Amino acid sequence: MPMKLLLGYILIISIVTFVLYGLDKYRAIHHEYRISEATLLTCSAIGGSFGAALGMILFHHKTRKTKFRLLVPLCLIVHVILLILILR
């Protein structure tokens, strides 16, 4: 049961993070109030790195920002390694 909870959490936070990246891109295009970079990176760090990486790729968003180009893949690598270790 705890494994299902963990995977459910990762799925939900990844979907939320993906939506936030899409929403921020939309707001950037339309010159509206933006979602802070700290919020986007925090969501990535707390388990949403899958959604963040997908959002960066599909929305072409934050791909020029060095901290996003470094931190999102780093979080993704750490999360994948942790999942592999937990699933063993």
Side-chain angles (χ1 to χ4, degrees):
M1 184 65 171
M3 185 57 60
K4 288 183 182 180
L5 253 96
L6 174 63
L7 294 176
Y9 169 77
I10 291 170
L11 178 64
I12 290 168
I13 193 66
S14 289
I15 290 170
V16 168
T17 304
F18 178 77
V19 169
L20 287 175
Y21 273 72
L23 182 60
D24 191 52
K25 178 66 175 195
Y26 174 86
R27 288 178 174 181
I29 291 169
H30 292 90
H31 307 289
E32 296 178 6
Y33 182 76
R34 303 282 302 278
I35 297 166
S36 73
E37 290 184 351
T39 298
L40 295 173
L41 288 172
T42 298
C43 287
S44 178
I46 64 171
S49 60
F50 300 100
L54 191 59
M56 286 179 70
I57 293 166
L58 292 180
F59 301 126
H60 304 286
H61 191 49
K62 299 293 186 187
T63 55
R64 293 184 183 186
K65 297 270 187 174
T66 303
K67 63 182 159 187
F68 282 85
R69 289 178 58 196
L70 295 174
L71 293 176
V72 170
L74 178 63
C75 287
L76 183 60
I77 291 166
V78 169
H79 292 149
V80 168
I81 290 170
L82 287 173
L83 273 176
I84 289 169
L85 292 173
I86 290 169
L87 292 174
R88 286 163 126 228

